[in-house]
Amino acid sequence: MAGFWVGTAPLVAAGRRGRWPPQQLMLSAALRTLKHVLYYSRQCLMVSRNLGSVGYDPNEKTFDKILVANRGEIACRVIRTCKKMGIKTVAIHSDVDASSVHVKMADEAVCVGPAPTSKSYLNMDAIMEAIKKTRAQAVHPGYGFLSENKEFARCLAAEDVVFIGPDTHAIQAMGDKIESKLLAKKAEVNTIPGFDGVVKDAEEAVRIAREIGYPVMIKASAGGGGKGMRIAWDDEETRDGFRLSSQEAASSFGDDRLLIEKFIDNPRHIEIQVLGDKHGNALWLNERECSIQRRNQKVVEEAPSIFLDAETRRAMGEQAVALARAVKYSSAGTVEFLVDSKKNFYFLEMNTRLQVRVDSGIQPGSDISIYYDPMISKLITYGSDRTEALKRMADALDNYVIRGVTHNIALLREVIINSRFVKGDISTKFLSDVYPDGFKGHMLTKSEKNQLLAIASSLFVAFQLRAQHFQENSRMPVIKPDIANWELSVKLHDKVHTVVASNNGSVFSVEVDGSKLNVTSTWNLASPLLSVSVDGTQRTVQCLSREAGGNMSIQFLGTVDLTLWPRLECSGTVMAHCSLDLLGSSDAPTSASQYKVNILTRLAAELNKFMLEKVTEDTSSVLRSPMPGVVVAVSVKPGDAVAEGQEICVIEAMKMQNSMTAGKTGTVKSVHCQAGDTVGEGDLLVELE
Amino acid sequence: MAAALRVAAVGARLSVLASGLRAAVRSLCSQATSVNERIENKRRTALLGGGQRRIDAQHKRGKLTARERISLLLDPGSFVESDMFVEHRCADFGMAADKNKFPGDSVVTGRGRINGRLVYVFSQDFTVFGGSLSGAHAQKICKIMDQAITVGAPVIGLNDSGGARIQEGVESLAGYADIFLRNVTASGVIPQISLIMGPCAGGAVYSPALTDFTFMVKDTSYLFITGPDVVKSVTNEDVTQEELGGAKTHTTMSGVAHRAFENDVDALCNLRDFFNYLPLSSQDPAPVRECHDPSDRLVPELDTIVPLESTKAYNMVDIIHSVVDEREFFEIMPNYAKNIIVGFARMNGRTVGIVGNQPKVASDSISFTPWNYARRQYRPYFAGCLDINSSVKGARFVRFCDAFNIPLITFVDVPGFLPGTAQEYGGIIRHGAKLLYAFAEATVPKVTVITRKAYGGAYDVMSSKHLCGDTNYAWPTAEIAVMGAKGAVEIIFKGHENVEAAQAEYIEKFANPFPAAVRGFVDDIIQPSSTRARICCDLDVLASKKVQRPWRKHANIPL
């Protein structure tokens, strides 16, 4: 068995502007896709259930009611388990999450504040209030949010509410980087040479850096993940790094301590799962390689790592267990290591949680809030070997139907077919090395382009033919035009291609710029996913939109022919995991997998030459209130960049909230209203530049 | 023939005149050749309209010629032209000169097919006298309209005309009236569509105005009674052609045009698309096209689409898209009176007319050009309220569907009629009555879905059970009441202290679908995700619906 994880990410802002509203996140075929995912996840579930059963006795006294202090898929998962165990659940949610899946699943739900997490899911007072109100006996924190917050654990203990998860000691020990490193050192776990503690000034930082030897990495001790991480290659950079990191440490975390350590170039990120119980037992499970990262967030994970040998694996596992014992770890957790090219491994950090799970916290109709984690789904595929797991992952990615949001499927798909990735030549720098200017989408080869053009043309003709299929009306017969060869002009990326298509039943013979292709499909024009065979090659395409004027947008990734890949010998289970995330608009592969074509008949294309280029309309830069009302919220401030269709402010009139959107893309010049203002019809609200 | 026989008889008797006979036969043959040549010449000339120079000028303006337009609109090879040889009959002002005669005159007429279905079409030729309307021009149009009415097939007019042929005087005016009369005669008998592809001014505008749908081409088409010059001299207003009667003006402010398209090619492609929704005549049922979308498809996203907070907006178009076949929705007047949505879609292949209140006010204010602000009052639309414009927009659409056997699906989320002096002074009472009238009068299958609010008189108006709705559904989120809880409590409990409790009581009692459901005013409370399946099923049953109305000459809608 082999497996992979991946994740997809929509671009919320763009999605909100798009033709497809965000509510329509997944359509019918998405359900199919979800089924797909769930099928795989079931195998995964079995694993976790086995793990869970280590200390679980069905007759054991549990709780009557617990509060789940989390949201999204993790909360759903906890609630589902509770239901199985007959425990009542209380969900907490923010304003914007009121109708999300976890709230619907839980027996009770309490709103703990407005959308920003600091005011809701991290709002300890409100959550403590909710616990008291609902008389929950225990709290499951899920992961993230308050799960590793020792203050929260302490508050709960004071109220005699059980905290389900690692105890305060372990959280405290592992939640703090410096402390965890000290502990690791004591437990004889390999650590990266470095210094941790309060660094007096820049000169001291330079002295420490020289002792460790360049390059070094500087970051705030309290910061998680790669946030605020700076790399210094010389004294000067160390001084800068010190200044920025200490500022950040003070402002973001209120904790001055810094971590300066040896920077490992081109490291792999490999983590070991550990399980401990209250009796001091601990064991390790196999590793997962998470080297493919974007902004230090895992993008693709793989198990087992094709890099480790049995000896290294065992050594890492033993050290991970030693660490778990040292902190009296009584739960599931993950010990993260960096591994250099010579298979030297160094302890990075320990997460007091177990990450093995595929699920989706959203369903069709869910609103993906811009306030929270952008992950919309995780996908895990298995295979008897790596090739099979990757092939399944590529297929599964092609079968995701996501509408209304922009996502990272194209990137995930590119990564898993990248030759370096396939060879196993990866590091945490993979994405920045392979896509130095950011991911720009799949580059079509000539034959792929011909395939795309052939599929698009066939679709066009299929739509045209379907338009003539009426239920026969005896009064006036339909006389279908007899067109043997459809002569088309297809525009893709500003290049015009000549296409001649003819069809015989479900087979289209298409000549694209002189080369002939046969396209076969069921031509179900209502299906969001269309499986097409082009000269025997299977492709999955999605027709995202189609206009009478000939514009068509097609999602075409193509299923890569994996038989061409070098077969890699792997033992044991190989899994891959990718997380489907929402992407920030800045580096979004917006339409990476989406191709816009314009198809016209030859006649229309010839006449189209006479059509004038449209002068881009000068849309007004002024947003005025169309009605008297009260300003409920203003979403922009001067200097903000806004996109067409983006919400500028909300005005409540007649008890309806009206979203005022930007009529063009631009920069906010001035804002003339604020929340709470009463405005009259025609009042100036916002000016754009 | 008779002459030839006579000549032959004479020849038999008087053989001495044999040479004369040969000459006669020769002259007869040569005459025939010349007719064929003349036919060919005329046809060739007709195909060139006003000549290559004018064709080039037309292209330079980004406009296609009358014949190019027809070739794009109709199925290849299906056009059958009539009256190619008709010429104008005016002799004044040197019009009789050969150079002023163009075979076919300034309009191309005939019939053809769109996706295999019959249609009559006329296309005004701007290259001939600026497409101006002569008596002959009008006669050609009238001829195909008469035939379209006789056989029962739609008429599409492609308008591109400078106006009346001034040289012909009153003859031209008579021509307009002849067309108007036929527009009215054909109204409700066959669908009539106008696509404005150039100027259309003066009296000419009333032909499109009388047809069922008027579409425009952006930047190259204008519709106005009097042009900017006359406006300037009479009212001293400075206004451009585009501002006065361009596509934007008529699709966003006046409501004269139903939709605008980017250019000629885009407009004609869209017109073909649109034509597929229409039955050929009032004798025909709504067309049923092949459909790949399962009629029993569940739409899970609808279960969460209506926000819990009753003042929060959502987009009714999302509901429409997810319910209809393949998300295909041809919206009519998408930029005018946006508080109501109307348009065509298909359910299990069959054309349906969709009417929906729009609770989401996506204000256009920012995309309006400055002149809208500088000189004109902006027209607000309130959160799905019914107001003057939306009532008229909805009423006209409902009546079209009823006339042409197109079932009506109505999605209701209406907080009431829009209050205010502007509305009352503008006659909301008589305009609102139009929508009420249209729904009550309609005998086509009527299915109604109340998604959220159905308050007050507006509840009655929106295809309610009381107006003979065939199937009326409520979603669990429906609130069918006289008014919102707050307003109601302020009236019922005026002066009471515990207003909040009273409000909660009112919400509990009335802000839900039960009061209507227990009275049978809604037939069922349905899970939103099952909406599509339910409607498709109902439409199958209702296909045989028959309603008899008492005899009358014609009804009297409050105009």
Side-chain angles (χ1 to χ4, degrees):
Chain A
M1 287 267 281
F4 278 84
W5 287 259
V6 252
T8 313
L11 220 177
V12 168
R16 275 161 195 272
R17 260 172 270 134
R19 197 169 108 86
W20 304 77
Q23 286 89 342
Q24 319 290 310
L25 199 64
M26 291 195 175
L27 297 169
S28 51
L31 290 177
R32 210 179 318 154
T33 309
L34 281 177
K35 268 184 220 152
H36 214 70
V37 177
L38 291 174
Y39 167 72
Y40 292 121
S41 71
R42 216 170 294 143
Q43 301 179 22
C44 211
L45 261 175
M46 275 156 51
V47 178
S48 41
R49 217 173 292 141
N50 289 345
L51 298 178
S53 69
V54 172
Y56 173 61
D57 170 0
N59 299 320
E60 193 181 338
K61 174 83 191 88
T62 57
F63 306 102
D64 298 323
K65 188 195 267 185
I66 71 165
L67 181 138
V68 183
N70 214 304
R71 64 183 296 285
E73 53 102 0
I74 178 70
C76 295
R77 186 177 112 202
V78 174
I79 293 167
R80 218 170 290 140
T81 308
C82 289
K83 283 196 170 156
K84 276 186 206 141
M85 295 172 73
I87 302 170
K88 285 208 175 98
T89 49
V90 180
I92 60 165
H93 63 87
S94 65
D95 285 348
V96 293
D97 275 353
S99 51
S100 61
V101 184
H102 78 280
V103 173
K104 282 186 227 158
M105 284 173 69
D107 299 301
E108 290 173 61
V110 182
C111 179
V112 290
T117 50
S118 61
K119 290 180 181 165
S120 51
Y121 295 98
L122 291 174
N123 183 346
M124 276 192 254
D125 292 341
I127 295 172
M128 292 309 294
E129 194 59 38
I131 294 166
K132 278 181 213 157
K133 202 169 107 189
T134 58
R135 298 211 187 100
Q137 299 154 318
V139 170
H140 195 304
Y143 59 73
F145 293 136
L146 295 171
S147 66
E148 294 172 35
N149 186 311
K150 55 194 179 193
E151 187 57 39
F152 183 58
R154 212 174 289 144
C155 280
L156 291 175
E159 294 287 329
D160 250 356
V161 178
V162 179
F163 183 73
I164 305 170
D167 62 27
T168 335
H169 171 70
I171 294 179
Q172 187 160 356
M174 288 299 132
D176 183 294
K177 290 199 169 47
I178 293 176
E179 225 170 304
S180 71
K181 212 171 155 186
L182 288 172
L183 271 162
K185 259 186 196 161
K186 230 187 277 171
E188 295 186 346
V189 174
N190 298 355
T191 54
I192 302 168
F195 170 89
D196 31 45
V198 178
V199 180
K200 265 210 315 280
D201 53 28
E203 290 320 306
E204 192 184 345
V206 168
R207 188 181 53 75
I208 296 165
R210 284 186 185 160
E211 263 171 37
I212 298 167
Y214 287 109
V216 295
M217 184 197 76
I218 306 170
K219 69 175 180 182
S221 308
K227 196 173 181 222
M229 188 173 93
R230 287 177 182 84
I231 290 127
W233 295 80
D234 56 33
D235 293 354
E236 199 48 45
E237 287 179 10
T238 307
R239 286 188 193 100
D240 283 352
F242 167 79
R243 188 168 47 81
L244 294 166
S245 296
S246 52
Q247 273 169 12
E248 191 172 89
S251 65
S252 302
F253 310 106
D255 182 339
D256 293 339
R257 290 172 305 161
L258 289 186
L259 184 67
I260 304 180
E261 63 182 27
K262 176 91 180 163
F263 174 67
I264 297 157
D265 208 7
N266 281 324
R268 284 164 174 269
H269 182 126
I270 297 176
E271 54 190 42
I272 303 272
Q273 313 266 347
V274 290
L275 284 173
D277 67 13
K278 302 242 182 210
H279 311 290
N281 301 312
L283 56 90
W284 61 276
L285 305 163
N286 272 0
E287 83 286 355
R288 302 179 336 149
E289 169 149 12
C290 317
S291 298
I292 308 292
Q293 303 185 344
R294 185 176 155 275
R295 290 193 195 144
N296 294 293
Q297 298 290 321
K298 295 158 195 170
V299 174
V300 179
E301 299 175 27
E302 178 176 3
S305 162
I306 61 165
F307 184 65
L308 293 191
D309 53 38
E311 200 184 318
T312 317
R313 180 174 294 124
R314 196 180 56 242
M316 287 170 76
E318 280 167 3
Q319 291 201 5
V321 166
L323 182 63
R325 286 213 181 95
V327 295
K328 300 192 183 71
Y329 200 71
S330 58
S331 178
T334 308
V335 182
E336 297 179 5
F337 292 97
L338 283 184
V339 184
D340 71 14
S341 53
K342 297 184 183 68
K343 297 200 173 70
N344 294 316
F345 59 91
Y346 306 98
F347 169 72
L348 191 63
E349 60 180 320
M350 180 168 180
N351 287 317
T352 42
R353 60 181 186 248
L354 183 74
Q355 309 165 328
V356 181
R357 173 73 196 192
V358 201
D359 225 326
S360 185
I362 51 165
Q363 62 189 31
S366 288
D367 243 320
I368 297 181
S369 169
I370 49 162
Y371 292 107
Y372 309 116
D373 194 329
M375 194 180 76
I376 52 174
S377 167
K378 280 187 208 167
L379 167 68
I380 297 185
T381 60
Y382 295 81
S384 56
D385 58 25
R386 194 164 185 261
T387 312
E388 189 180 294
L390 284 173
K391 161 94 179 102
R392 284 186 179 167
M393 177 155 281
D395 286 347
L397 286 173
D398 280 346
N399 282 283
Y400 262 95
V401 177
I402 303 178
R403 298 283 190 273
V405 287
T406 311
H407 49 77
N408 67 347
I409 282 188
L411 170 71
L412 297 172
R413 213 179 175 292
E414 283 296 291
V415 168
I416 62 166
I417 63 165
N418 181 283
S419 60
R420 266 186 65 187
F421 181 85
V422 173
K423 271 188 278 178
D425 172 20
I426 52 175
S427 77
T428 53
K429 300 239 176 52
F430 179 86
L431 291 181
S432 51
D433 286 354
V434 176
Y435 310 108
D437 304 321
F439 178 61
K440 297 280 198 308
H442 180 70
M443 295 301 290
L444 288 176
T445 64
K446 183 151 192 292
S447 77
E448 280 174 338
K449 195 202 289 171
N450 282 351
Q451 288 183 358
L452 171 64
L453 293 171
I455 292 170
S457 305
S458 304
L459 262 174
F460 177 83
V461 176
F463 275 116
Q464 296 290 321
L465 291 174
R466 205 258 306 252
Q468 306 163 2
H469 280 243
F470 289 95
Q471 202 176 67
E472 270 304 322
N473 170 3
S474 53
R475 196 185 71 81
M476 187 82 80
V478 173
I479 299 173
K480 291 176 197 162
D482 184 22
I483 303 171
N485 290 304
W486 292 78
E487 294 181 30
L488 306 174
S489 163
V490 186
K491 200 155 119 183
L492 172 70
H493 297 147
D494 287 326
K495 267 197 78 181
V496 176
H497 304 268
T498 311
V499 176
V500 182
S502 59
N503 95 307
N504 183 5
S506 62
V507 185
F508 283 82
S509 308
V510 189
E511 203 179 304
V512 183
D513 296 330
S515 54
K516 280 194 174 139
L517 296 101
N518 279 319
V519 187
T520 317
S521 172
T522 55
W523 304 113
N524 181 326
L525 302 177
S527 166
L529 280 171
L530 200 62
S531 183
V532 183
S533 160
V534 191
D535 283 343
T537 310
Q538 280 300 320
R539 300 285 184 197
T540 301
V541 296
Q542 302 184 26
C543 181
L544 301 172
S545 70
R546 186 178 63 86
E547 289 163 21
N551 289 328
M552 201 188 270
S553 95
I554 291 180
Q555 184 169 323
F556 171 76
L557 297 134
T559 304
V560 169
D561 194 350
L562 283 126
T563 54
L564 299 174
W565 292 5
R567 248 182 127 71
L568 291 156
E569 292 306 317
C570 286
S571 57
T573 306
V574 179
M575 296 194 298
H577 162 204
C578 57
S579 46
L580 289 84
D581 293 326
L582 291 150
L583 295 179
S585 51
S586 51
D587 56 348
T590 37
S591 48
S593 54
Q594 184 181 330
Y595 297 95
K596 288 188 163 49
V597 291
N598 180 280
I599 308 182
L600 292 173
T601 60
R602 203 179 65 179
L603 174 70
E606 273 164 19
L607 296 177
N608 205 38
K609 287 178 189 143
F610 297 120
M611 299 296 105
L612 301 179
E613 281 288 319
K614 293 276 167 178
V615 200
T616 30
E617 201 179 11
D618 175 32
T619 48
S620 165
S621 319
V622 184
L623 177 65
R624 288 171 191 275
S625 175
M627 71 208 101
V630 177
V631 179
V632 178
V634 181
S635 340
V636 296
K637 54 182 190 310
D640 282 3
V642 292
E644 185 182 328
Q646 188 178 330
E647 183 176 290
I648 298 281
C649 63
V650 178
I651 291 182
E652 185 171 306
M654 292 203 53
K655 290 193 258 163
M656 293 297 300
Q657 296 194 346
N658 307 302
S659 170
M660 311 291 296
T661 57
K664 67 165 190 182
T665 300
T667 312
V668 178
K669 191 170 152 198
S670 55
V671 177
H672 300 269
C673 61
Q674 59 182 34
D677 282 0
T678 304
V679 290
E681 183 180 330
D683 282 5
L684 183 64
L685 300 174
V686 171
E687 278 180 281
L688 301 181
E689 283 195 52
Chain B
M1 190 67 179
L5 280 177
R6 218 178 303 131
V7 169
V10 171
R13 270 185 284 145
L14 304 166
S15 56
V16 285
L17 289 176
S19 61
L21 172 72
R22 273 197 298 275
V25 170
R26 208 167 36 240
S27 101
L28 195 71
C29 289
S30 75
Q31 194 189 346
T33 318
S34 108
V35 167
N36 274 337
E37 267 172 19
R38 282 172 62 195
I39 292 170
E40 278 313 305
N41 279 340
K42 288 275 185 199
R43 282 197 196 280
R44 253 199 316 276
T45 319
L47 292 180
L48 272 180
Q52 194 57 45
R53 201 172 51 82
R54 291 208 173 86
I55 290 176
D56 292 344
Q58 176 85 344
H59 284 159
K60 212 167 224 157
R61 280 189 285 262
K63 290 159 66 180
L64 298 180
T65 65
R67 288 175 188 281
E68 285 166 345
R69 286 167 176 165
I70 288 179
S71 70
L72 270 189
L73 176 66
L74 301 179
D75 293 345
S78 71
F79 181 52
V80 179
E81 187 170 348
S82 63
D83 290 342
M84 202 184 214
F85 298 103
V86 166
E87 289 174 4
H88 73 77
R89 299 173 293 264
C90 178
D92 300 325
F93 310 108
M95 289 295 280
D98 269 359
K99 67 174 172 65
N100 282 335
K101 294 266 189 179
F102 295 87
D105 205 17
S106 50
V107 66
V108 181
T109 60
R111 62 167 199 266
R113 291 184 180 263
I114 294 178
N115 287 310
R117 300 194 314 147
L118 186 66
V119 63
Y120 284 81
V121 59
F122 69 85
S123 177
Q124 294 179 319
D125 189 348
F126 196 77
T127 64
V128 178
F129 298 120
S132 60
L133 189 125
S134 63
H137 178 137
Q139 183 196 319
K140 283 180 72 173
I141 294 176
C142 290
K143 191 193 261 184
I144 60 135
M145 288 186 72
D146 287 340
Q147 200 173 100
I149 296 168
T150 320
V151 302
V155 173
I156 295 179
L158 308 178
N159 298 63
D160 189 359
S161 161
R165 181 83 51 89
I166 298 169
Q167 294 89 334
E168 292 197 7
V170 73
E171 171 124 18
S172 175
L173 295 185
Y176 278 125
D178 290 342
I179 298 171
F180 298 157
L181 177 70
R182 276 156 186 86
N183 282 137
V184 174
T185 308
S187 180
V189 178
I190 51 170
Q192 302 179 78
I193 306 160
S194 304
L195 175 55
I196 317 299
M197 309 187 82
C200 182
V205 298
Y206 284 110
S207 176
L210 289 167
T211 61
D212 298 302
F213 295 100
T214 303
F215 299 121
M216 292 181 81
V217 178
K218 287 182 192 167
D219 306 323
T220 47
S221 72
Y222 310 101
L223 270 168
F224 36 68
I225 295 283
T226 48
D229 297 344
V230 180
V231 169
K232 173 76 182 165
S233 66
V234 176
T235 67
N236 207 27
E237 286 173 292
D238 277 311
V239 69
T240 65
Q241 276 199 348
E242 181 64 33
E243 287 172 18
L244 188 62
K248 186 164 206 161
T249 300
H250 286 313
T251 53
T252 61
M253 298 180 69
S254 72
V256 165
H258 296 86
R259 229 169 123 165
F261 302 106
E262 291 307 316
N263 55 43
D264 280 16
V265 174
D266 186 51
L268 292 163
C269 289
N270 271 285
L271 195 47
R272 282 178 64 84
D273 205 41
F274 174 70
F275 187 77
N276 259 13
Y277 287 102
L278 308 180
L280 296 184
S281 76
S282 59
Q283 306 164 54
D284 300 299
V288 181
R289 197 198 64 186
E290 182 183 301
C291 170
H292 298 167
D293 203 350
S295 64
D296 58 354
R297 171 170 60 85
L298 293 181
V299 193
E301 61 262 40
L302 291 187
D303 287 338
T304 53
I305 202 160
V306 177
L308 297 176
E309 305 87 326
S310 70
T311 54
K312 207 171 155 191
Y314 62 96
N315 192 350
M316 190 64 92
V317 176
D318 292 345
I319 294 180
I320 295 168
H321 277 151
S322 53
V323 166
V324 302
D325 289 359
E326 298 175 28
R327 308 184 66 86
E328 284 184 340
F329 178 53
F330 191 99
E331 194 171 347
I332 298 293
M333 303 174 104
N335 296 313
Y336 176 81
K338 286 191 185 179
N339 38 358
I340 201 162
I341 304 161
V342 299
F344 296 101
R346 295 186 181 86
M347 293 294 276
N348 202 15
R350 178 185 283 111
T351 298
V352 293
I354 306 269
V355 181
N357 306 112
Q358 174 59 291
K360 174 194 169 219
V361 174
S363 172
D364 280 10
S365 53
I366 206 167
S367 63
F368 264 49
T369 44
W371 51 264
N372 274 324
Y373 275 111
R375 302 185 211 154
R376 265 154 279 263
Q377 193 196 359
Y378 181 74
R379 296 182 189 283
Y381 11 81
F382 287 97
C385 255
L386 290 178
D387 59 6
I388 292 171
N389 291 345
S390 61
S391 299
V392 175
K393 171 179 165 182
R396 179 149 175 81
F397 180 77
V398 167
R399 296 196 89 214
F400 175 83
C401 291
D402 187 45
F404 291 100
N405 313 314
I406 297 171
L408 284 163
I409 316 286
T410 309
F411 292 97
V412 183
D413 187 348
V414 62
F417 279 97
L418 180 63
T421 50
Q423 290 290 311
E424 296 291 358
Y425 296 171
I428 180 68
I429 296 173
R430 66 192 170 89
H431 294 296
K434 291 176 185 174
L435 184 59
L436 171 62
Y437 189 103
F439 269 124
E441 170 194 47
T443 57
V444 289
K446 290 186 280 191
V447 180
T448 307
V449 180
I450 300 172
T451 60
R452 194 166 62 181
K453 290 174 204 155
Y455 287 169
Y459 152 71
D460 284 340
V461 170
M462 292 302 294
S463 196
S464 65
K465 196 79 197 165
H466 322 287
L467 302 184
C468 289
D470 294 298
T471 318
N472 294 56
Y473 292 122
W475 283 5
T477 41
E479 304 167 16
I480 305 160
V482 176
M483 57 171 72
K486 193 161 176 257
V489 167
E490 274 167 13
I491 295 169
I492 304 172
F493 300 97
K494 202 170 181 180
H496 273 240
E497 277 170 21
N498 201 351
V499 176
E500 249 173 54
Q503 209 169 310
E505 191 193 345
Y506 189 90
I507 289 171
E508 176 71 23
K509 268 215 169 97
F510 295 117
N512 59 57
F514 295 114
V518 295
R519 288 166 177 81
F521 297 163
V522 294
D523 299 291
D524 201 355
I525 303 171
I526 61 168
Q527 195 61 25
S529 52
S530 69
T531 306
R532 172 177 166 82
R534 299 290 292 253
I535 295 176
C536 284
C537 188
D538 292 335
L539 289 179
D540 278 346
V541 172
L542 291 168
S544 59
K545 177 183 176 184
K546 282 219 163 50
V547 178
Q548 286 292 325
R549 295 275 196 231
W551 186 90
R552 60 184 160 198
K553 186 174 174 202
H554 68 69
N556 186 17
I557 188 167
L559 291 173

